[in-house]
Amino acid sequence: MKAIAKDLFRILPRSAVLQAPEDLLAYAADATADLFSRSPDAVVLPRSTDDVAAVLCYAASRKVPVTPRGAGSGLAGGATPVEGGIVLDMKRMNRVMAVNRGNMTAQAEAGVVLENFKRLIAKENLFYPPDPQSAAVCTLGGNVATRAGGPRGVKYGTTVHYVLGLTTVLPDGEVVKTGGSCVKQSVGYDLTHLFTGSEGTLGVITEVTLRLLPLPPAHATAVAVARTSEDAASMVSEIIARGTVPAMLEYLTLMAAATMNPTLKIPLPLTGEAYLLMDIDGTAAQVAADCALLSDLCREKGALEVRIVEDPVEAAAYWKARASLYPLILTMAKKAIIEDVTVPRDRLPEFVRKIGELSAKMGVLIGMAGHAGDGNMHPSVLFGEVNEKTMQDARFAVREIVRAGLALGGTISGEHGVGLHKAEFIEEEMGSAQIALMKRVKAAFDPLGIMNPGKIWPAAGVDHAKP
Amino acid sequence: MQSLEAYRPFMEKCSHCAFCQATCPSFGADISESQMPRARMEIIRACLLDKSMPLTRRARQIIARCLLCGNCNRTCPAAIPVEEMSALARAEIGGLNPFTRSVTRRFARNRGLSGIWRVAANAGRGMGLAPREVPPIAAAPFAPGALSFPAAGEERARILYFVGCAANSLCPETARDVVSALTRNGIAVAVPDGIVCCGAPLYSAGDLEKARENARVNVEALSIEGFDAVVTECTTCASFLKEKTIKLLGPEDPLAEKAKALSARVYEATDYLLGKGLSAEPDPAPRAVTFHVPCHRGFSPTVDEAPRRLLEKVPGLTIRDMERPDACCGAGGLFFAKNRAVSGEIRRRKLSDIEASGAECVVTPCPMCRAFISGADRRIETVHPLSLVRYGKEEP
């Protein structure tokens, strides 16, 4: 047994520490397993903020790296223990402490699974919009740490817009409570939102206080089939420009539609080059009016077909297939690198055209499916064969995709976070002054550098980021 | 399902998305990633295929801690059958000790135990050698050999009734209720000679050779002309006859074609009766029930809802749906006998959902779910759905 595990057994109950090689293997990677994998030295499964504090006190005293982890469903390698040490699996901290209908807020532990949380508050007619496609497993803590988004971003924003307060354990074991339950806060530095999106590099989030909305009473799902991908992209910017905001506005390529089709009872017609999948919510009257408006608008922009899906079961099947797109892709391709580039919405047609050109020029297959309504595309580099040449091509393609996005005033990540895989591009986006400032912030919180090392920016002298 | 090696392409399709955490009962009970299907599959690959890790006690434990519910397969967007990998891995490791194996084999051959074996098994149960949730073995099995029951009134169909082991020897009253509900609805019922256990308990114990042998016996025994369908009261038996038999035998087996033909004719009893439609309104049953959906439901798109939709037609019955009716109860066949803590934790959640429903009785077709939900003290009443479809007092 490793010394770290032995020490941990002294401070925590036996059931809270895993150290067998088989257990450690389970924590070696997240959803980016083919890109990076390394077993930690020990896994801790805390049940309370106190447990987390005890682990961090120990880690600080021995300078052991600590990697906080939610479901391990991340697409940027953020929860992988690249330098070994301790993985803090937060999933056993899964209590919802309070749902306050009067204040429209809820307080929950970091390990609460998003979908369970949504189901619970829906009983009180409350609504928490962020909807990363891994909602069935991902955790509130992981969502806050990465600023997770999802299709509803277009109308409702992402996790960052709902975080009111946090309990965070600092790298030396000190517990700080930031923010609170007030929907307006104007005192001091906004540390709550500094931890939000910090990807476990500043501390471990153990409890969250979230803002909630009333549950929209009515929904409709609509599909528009576009002749070309640029037609689809211009429909998106037109929809937004006209001020109709669907709750979800997804862009799918022909390939994505074909991937989804086997799971659909009424398949998508494979006649167009691109597809828009939309959810419209609100009061019944509003939904009906918006549906009519969106249909007209898409037809005006040359849609081959606009389909309103009335049956809720059928509609749910579309969204489930959309949520499954990433795992489904691997039933067709040997490997996929999912990017998260986001551009201003009016630049979407240009971005789509550029990616198309890039794909043709390089002979690399680039799938596109994304939350187009908020400019958050997920161009994915797909390969049939994995070898040195295809890996090199992929690496080059990723670089070009990122540059294309940045050139249009975009960002390298809309909702997945930087993690391990986008670390090499962060300087290109943010510039050296911002990076230097962020590193000073990091040093102020984590002078020993034990919190999730290797993430957000590459660790000095180490290149973890194989493409 | 001939070798683990054949599952390598499935393993390579895994995107590591972690969606399998959502429904794996073993993960839910432990909430550690070592117990999620993604990790179980990786461990099976590392220890048994790539041999990059030694097959330690811990590895065996993780592989054994799969209830074979199939939720991973259903939840995985790429439909990766981790459950089948677990079964094959167990076969490779060798699960049961020789004594348990010989008792399991004997039970599976006879669909129960008789004579001295029955006395010994019941005595062992009394002494705590077997879990108290499992009912004692009845003195007289329902169908020691072939039986036949004519349809009451006009005959609408003729079926072969595959009596599951539990209904045959642990709760024969269920088998009687099934026959009554079918015959009173114009369905003539025949129990064929020579059927043996469907093979599920053998499969679960890693005894795939014996499971195959049983599958072959059943394929022969059930391939009789002159019947419209093969019907069983147990969800697991149905899934075995319909899906697993073909997979276990494989395309090369001399009986492969027959197994396929059989598969097309297999139904779970409530699913079958619902499809036929009730010919008369059943007697009133003034009670509040809730439905538990057994795990092995993947073979039919309607089997999960069938008991509920059938019992909607019973006058006086109040349905109180529980949350997550299709969440595993923790039994996993006889998994609970060896994994008390895991199963107990899974059952704890089920019991709290049942209690919250306010129902007085749990309805489910699976005999092991019924036994395990009832608990050792039989605190909760559980019944087979067809036990609530009654007509007068007359016996079939």
Side-chain angles (χ1 to χ4, degrees), chain A residues 126 350 369:
Chain A
L126 291 168
E350 250 173 292

Side-chain angles (χ1 to χ4, degrees), chain A residues 22-23 27 69 71 91-92, chain B residues 21 30 33-34 56 58:
Chain A
E22 295 81 6
D23 293 290
Y27 290 88
R69 180 173 172 109
K91 290 190 282 296
R92 284 185 185 169
Chain B
Q21 276 172 22
D30 195 50
E33 290 185 34
S34 332
T56 58
R58 179 61 177 156

Side-chain angles (χ1 to χ4, degrees), chain A residues 379-399:
Chain A
S380 334
V381 182
L382 308 174
F383 2 178
E385 284 305 316
V386 184
N387 57 45
E388 216 165 290
K389 160 102 176 59
T390 54
M391 288 296 280
Q392 213 166 26
D393 287 353
R395 197 181 173 119
F396 187 74
V398 165
R399 198 170 282 276

Side-chain angles (χ1 to χ4, degrees), chain B residues 11 15 22 58 64 117 213 258 264 289 317 357 380:
Chain B
M11 296 179 177
S15 70
R58 179 61 177 156
W117 286 91
E213 214 177 291
K258 263 189 172 173
V289 301
L317 197 83
S357 77
I380 295 174

Side-chain angles (χ1 to χ4, degrees), chain B residues 6-57:
Chain B
Y7 284 76
R8 216 184 255 281
F10 282 113
M11 296 179 177
E12 278 159 14
K13 282 197 171 108
C14 174
S15 70
H16 293 75
C17 67
F19 287 14
C20 50
Q21 276 172 22
T23 55
C24 173
S26 194
F27 168 81
D30 195 50
I31 325 187
S32 81
E33 290 185 34
S34 332
Q35 298 297 352
M36 70 187 275
R38 170 172 90 180
R40 199 169 282 115
M41 185 185 82
E42 290 296 336
I43 288 162
I44 290 172
R45 169 146 80 172
C47 296
L48 295 171
L49 283 182
D50 297 347
K51 315 250 190 232
S52 56
M53 274 175 102
L55 184 64
T56 58
R57 212 171 132 243

